[in-house]
Each structure stands twice: as structure tokens, then as C-alpha cells.
Amino acid sequence: ERNEAGALRLLELAHLVDPDPERAHLREALASRDLDELRFLADSGLEGQPASTVALLATSLDRLGDRESALFVYRAGIERHPDDFELLYRLARLLTPGPDDSGPPEELREAAECYRAALSLHPDNAWTRFYLGRIYDKLDERERSREQYQKAVDLEPDIGRLRFRLAQVQSKLDLDEEARANFERTVTLDDPSWIRGWSLASLSGLALRRGERDAAVELARRAWESEASATWSRRYYMLWTFFAYTGVTGEEDAMLEGRQLFEERFSLSSGAHNGLAWSLVARVAGFTSRGPLEGLTPEGAEQLLALACELAERAVELNPGSADAWNTLGVARTFAGDYE
């Protein structure tokens, strides 16, 4: 009750200091989390209001779950305030998917335009360059992505997240030594919590590409033992080196170790079994942007496809209603030569 009384008092003081009726209406709607009233204000256009008020309305709509109305308000605000950094940046961020999501191409292109416009106003903003780098990466414009990530790192060299993403795109561009140098810096960090484990996993992949297979497996073990994203099913990517080792040598011990580690954590996860199965098929069949696993032997391919079938079968067993799992099972069996 004391907090509620204090909030009401602050609201009264805000009305006294700023008696503008539209802004007062907005404050009242925000205080009561009234989504209908916020939508009414969005439809009204808030013409004549400063950019900060428009940004507040759009942000509030987004936080209350109405993304489409938020986008409408941001876009309308930018039409009236085309040189406002906050509006440009916030709209771009709303259009920017997470690091592991794709996003509609038209939204990615709009986000890129907004980030570029924001950078024309504040070219030294590292986070704007960082997110523009993400957008370019998702648009498969890897060189432009690398350029933006590099500029972000130059501006904020001690922020591990920026350097990690730069290293990732350097690896995609086969700039392995540059990527290795950056991952070797991020592997020493603790913030964010996932960075050490995923840096180890990335260094494992680079070691494998150099042909240093035993070193790659040891790095993969260290990555798996780290605290990085411990409950995230896609953590199975950290185990890829074990399976790739078998793929290029035909020796099954590494694959069996990877399978055991995987089952210890994800024995009851249909999604994880399906995801790993699909990853194995994709690298054998060449579905990925890198094509088939480099150095893949016939014996290794056979073993990986057999494992993919087992994993997909388990995914279906755990979740018989999963269309994705059934699809993976069908594809895996087809490439394994089991047409029945």
C-alpha cells in the first residue's frame, strides 16, 4: 500500500510538472498497464509530441506484448523525427532477431537501414555497430558483418560479447588465425557466463580444421564441462568435434564418447535428439553453407548416418507427435540407404 501511495503521488507530481493532456493520458495508461488505452494513443498518432514520448509509447506497447503496434508507433515517429537516434535504434532493435534466430528478410533489411541512419548520427556507438554486424551476418553479407563487428571491438575492446561475435564471423570467412586469436582472448573471460564454454567449443572446431584432432577433442571436453548454457538443448553443438573425428578417421571411439556425454544430459529430450540427428545428416549430406564435412571418409559417413538414425528414432519415441522428428528420421534413413 505504501508503494502504491508513493507511485500515485509521483504520478500527481508528474501531472503538475507536465500538464500536457496526451502525455498525462500516456502516464495514466502506463501506470495502470492499460494496453487498450495505449493502443488508443497509438491510433491517435501523438502528432506534435516529442520523439521521447513516441519512444516511450512504443517501448511500452512492446513490453506489454503488442509488437505490431509498437512497430507502427516507431515507424510513424521516425517519419516525424527522422534524425532521432533513439527512435531509429529502438526500432532496429525490435526488428533484430536473437543470435540464433533468422528473422524475416524484409525486417532484416529495414533494421539495417535504421542502424545505418543511427550511425550517421552517432558513428562511435559500438552497440549499434554490433547489431548491424548481426544483421549483415543473417543476410549472409559476411564481409560487411566482419567490418561492423571489428569497428565495435575497436570502440569497446574489453567487451567479450563483441569480440566473440567478431571471431565467429572471421571463422565463417575462413580467417582462422584471426578468429583463433580472438577466441583465445574471450576464453579467458567470465562475462557473459556462456563465453568461456563457447569459446572453447569454437577453438575446438578450429583445431579440427587444422588437423589437430586430439587437441580438438580435448578442447571439446573442456567446453562440455564448462557452465555455458548448461540447460540449453543446443549445447550439443559443443560435442560436434567428437562426431567429426569419427567422420574423418572412421574410428568410432570419439563418436561413442560424444554419444555418452550427450545422453547423460539429454536422454529425455526429443528436441535435442532431433537436433543432433539433423546436424549429423546435414554435415554428411552437405546441407550446410560449408558443404559436407571436410575429409569425410565413407566409413565415417556410414557411422554418422547410423547414429543419426538412432537419434531420430529416439526423438520420435520421446515425442511421437513431432513432425520435425519424423522428417529427420525419414531423411536420415534415406541417406543411410534404408528406404523401407
Side-chain angles (χ1 to χ4, degrees):
E1 293 179 359
R2 185 181 305 170
N3 289 340
E4 183 178 353
L8 290 172
R9 179 58 181 156
L10 287 174
L11 190 59
E12 291 173 1
L13 290 173
H15 290 340
L16 287 172
V17 173
D18 179 17
D20 180 89
E22 279 193 317
R23 290 196 291 274
H25 190 175
L26 175 58
R27 287 191 294 270
E28 293 280 358
L30 290 175
S32 60
R33 298 176 63 84
D34 190 329
L35 186 54
D36 288 335
E37 286 301 308
L38 291 174
R39 287 170 174 159
F40 172 82
L41 286 167
D43 290 338
S44 74
L46 289 184
E47 294 186 12
Q49 292 295 336
S52 58
T53 301
V54 177
L56 177 60
L57 173 58
T59 301
S60 302
L61 286 163
D62 180 41
R63 288 178 178 173
L64 290 176
D66 191 345
R67 182 177 185 267
E68 289 307 310
S69 292
L71 290 172
F72 170 80
V73 171
Y74 277 130
R75 289 164 177 155
I78 289 171
E79 285 185 8
R80 295 196 296 272
H81 306 281
D83 295 326
D84 186 83
F85 175 85
E86 183 181 13
L87 285 175
L88 290 165
Y89 180 80
R90 286 181 179 271
L91 173 57
R93 284 291 290 116
L94 187 54
L95 294 166
T96 301
D100 301 303
D101 302 318
S102 53
E106 64 276 8
E107 289 197 358
L108 295 177
R109 288 188 286 270
E110 183 181 1
E113 291 179 9
C114 289
Y115 284 130
R116 287 193 294 264
L119 285 169
S120 71
L121 300 169
H122 293 289
D124 293 336
N125 188 291
W127 286 104
T128 304
R129 293 200 177 277
F130 171 76
Y131 287 117
L132 180 55
R134 178 187 293 180
I135 293 295
Y136 282 143
D137 188 18
K138 293 182 185 301
L139 289 169
D140 292 327
E141 299 182 32
R142 298 282 163 70
E143 185 54 46
R144 298 179 80 178
S145 175
R146 185 205 61 78
E147 179 184 359
Q148 293 303 320
Y149 281 141
Q150 183 65 66
K151 288 180 178 179
V153 168
D154 291 342
L155 290 164
E156 295 285 356
D158 296 327
I159 298 179
R161 188 188 306 266
L162 309 186
R163 189 176 296 279
F164 179 85
R165 298 303 179 188
L166 169 62
Q168 277 193 317
V169 81
Q170 287 172 330
S171 178
K172 292 175 183 177
L173 288 167
D174 294 326
L175 301 173
D176 286 6
E177 289 308 307
E178 291 91 333
R180 182 182 183 183
N182 279 312
F183 283 132
E184 286 178 344
R185 291 186 63 173
T186 58
V187 79
T188 65
L189 304 177
D190 296 314
D191 183 32
S193 61
W194 51 261
I195 198 166
R196 184 189 302 273
W198 287 103
S199 297
L200 285 165
S202 300
L203 286 168
S204 172
L206 290 173
L208 191 67
R209 273 155 61 169
R210 294 194 302 274
E212 299 174 8
R213 295 168 188 159
D214 291 338
V217 167
E218 180 55 32
L219 285 163
R221 289 192 186 105
R222 290 173 59 195
W224 188 250
E225 293 167 0
S226 73
E227 297 180 1
S229 305
T231 60
W232 186 44
S233 64
R234 291 180 71 182
R235 192 185 187 199
Y236 60 74
Y237 284 141
M238 288 182 173
L239 298 173
W240 170 248
T241 293
F242 292 95
F243 306 117
Y245 190 107
T246 295
V248 299
T249 65
E251 300 172 11
E252 69 173 358
D253 287 351
M255 181 184 74
L256 294 176
E257 181 182 354
R259 172 73 182 275
Q260 179 180 348
L261 293 172
F262 173 83
E263 294 294 351
E264 286 173 359
R265 183 171 296 277
F266 298 120
S267 62
L268 298 178
S269 172
S270 174
H273 281 79
N274 180 61
L276 179 54
W278 182 260
S279 295
L280 293 172
V281 175
R283 289 309 305 271
V284 171
F287 293 161
T288 70
S289 59
R290 285 190 174 276
L293 174 65
E294 186 176 354
L296 183 67
T297 64
E299 298 83 358
E302 182 179 352
Q303 292 183 75
L304 293 183
L305 288 172
L307 176 57
C309 289
E310 292 178 18
L311 291 165
E313 287 166 3
R314 179 59 175 158
V316 168
E317 179 183 342
L318 289 166
N319 185 6
S322 171
D324 286 342
W326 281 106
N327 177 70
T328 299
L329 178 57
V331 174
R333 285 180 172 173
T334 298
F335 279 96
D338 181 1
Y339 300 107
E340 297 183 2

